[in-house]
């Protein structure tokens, strides 16, 4: 936003009035001797242009069209299968195995997790594996097992579509349709997922900027998704001690500045189970509306991502987060 002052305005008083309203302003050097202008920088509190136009010192306010107008109107809360997720709501936990390995396995996970108060069951039927030789998921049967297990224990299903052709079968069983990190930059998939009318869990690309992430959400909203929940899952870094770098700055930015529902995935970020609980708590403290974590009853035998799987009995610790900031 650019605020142009009247020619006779007291520049310092005008600056004070803007700063008092929570704006970060920078004097705009236009080079000539035209009117004084202030640029309102990113990170400022959201203020309606009309409020500034009504100030005595201000001649006009111009706004650049937003690149994501639909996302700008997105609320801080989203309802998924009767559960409200977002700013001010109780933190949600989505838990379950990396991949749905067997009918019995997913029933056991649902039984154990629901007893611990977890209401969202995760699990991949189609796995976007880095290597073509790794387990690729059981596909359609796994979707069916997952839905049956969730229904048996009163849970909601979160599962991923890795290609346009999987969108319809996934949408049939998912309460929240997941787009994975490797696919955030895949507009035809975003569009197909959005057209199902399901809310979308949009994982951040591992090398995506916040702007690209927001625009991927705009794709979903502009093609009919009723809502988007963002998921920060770690960025590609240079250090091998953790699998990725969990970007808590972006979690805080989305929650506190944009006031959007964002959850965090400490499992894929850390890549190791000993860091999941502290990272999960840190994400909640930064404003995350919830966590998605991988669990497995016998991590050593998991068909995918065993090293980062928590045993379900650790879930209680994850849920008793000592510090949670509200994005008020
Ligand atoms: C997953 O959640 O199953 C997954 C593959 O995560 P990501 O897309 O973040 O790598
Ligand atoms: Mn995984």
């Amino acid at each position: 936003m650019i605020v142009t002052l009247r020619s006779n305005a007291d520049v310092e008083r005008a600056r004070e009035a803007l700063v008092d309203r929570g704006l970060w302003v920078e004097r705009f050097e236009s080079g000539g001797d035209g009117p004084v202008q202030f640029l309102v920088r990113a990170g400022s509190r959201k203020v309606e242009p009309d409020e500034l136009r009504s100030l005595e010192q201000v001649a006009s306010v111009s706004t650049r069209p937003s690149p994501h107008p639909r996302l700008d109107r997105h609320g801080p809360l989203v309802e998924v299968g009767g559960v409200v997720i977002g700013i001010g709501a109780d933190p949600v936990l989505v838990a379950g195995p990396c991949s749905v390995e067997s009918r019995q396995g997913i029933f056991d996970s649902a039984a154990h997790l629901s007893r611990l108060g977890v209401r969202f069951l995760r699990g991949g039927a189609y796995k976007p594996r880095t290597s073509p030789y790794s387990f690729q998921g059981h596909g359609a049967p796994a979707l069916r097992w997952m839905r049956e297990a969730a229904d048996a224990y009163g849970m909601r299903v979160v599962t991923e579509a890795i290609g346009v052709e999987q969108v319809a079968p996934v949408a049939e069983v998912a309460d929240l349709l997941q787009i994975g990190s490797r696919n955030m930059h895949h507009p035809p998939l975003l569009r197909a997922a959005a057209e199902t009318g399901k809310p979308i869990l949009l994982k951040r690309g591992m090398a995506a900027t916040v702007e690209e992430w927001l625009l991927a959400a705009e794709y979903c909203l502009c093609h009919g998704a009723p809502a988007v929940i963002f998921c920060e899952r770690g960025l590609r870094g240079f250090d091998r001690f953790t699998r990725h770098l969990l970007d808590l700055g972006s979690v805080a930015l989305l929650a506190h500045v944009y006031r959007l529902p964002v959850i965090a995935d400490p499992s894929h970020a850390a890549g190791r189970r000993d860091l999941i609980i502290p990272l999960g708590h840190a994400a909640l403290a930064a404003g995350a509306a919830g966590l998605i974590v991988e669990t497995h009853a016998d991590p050593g035998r998991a068909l995918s991502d065993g090293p980062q799987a928590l045993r379900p009995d650790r879930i209680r610790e994850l849920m008793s987060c000592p510090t949670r900031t509200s994005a008020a």
Side-chain angles (χ1 to χ4, degrees), residues 122 127-128 160 178 180-182 203 233 268 294:
R122 65 144 290 145
K127 294 304 303 178
E160 176 175 353
Q178 179 175 327
S181 181
R182 290 158 189 79
K203 298 192 93 175
R233 48 78 71 207
H268 288 91
E294 292 186 343

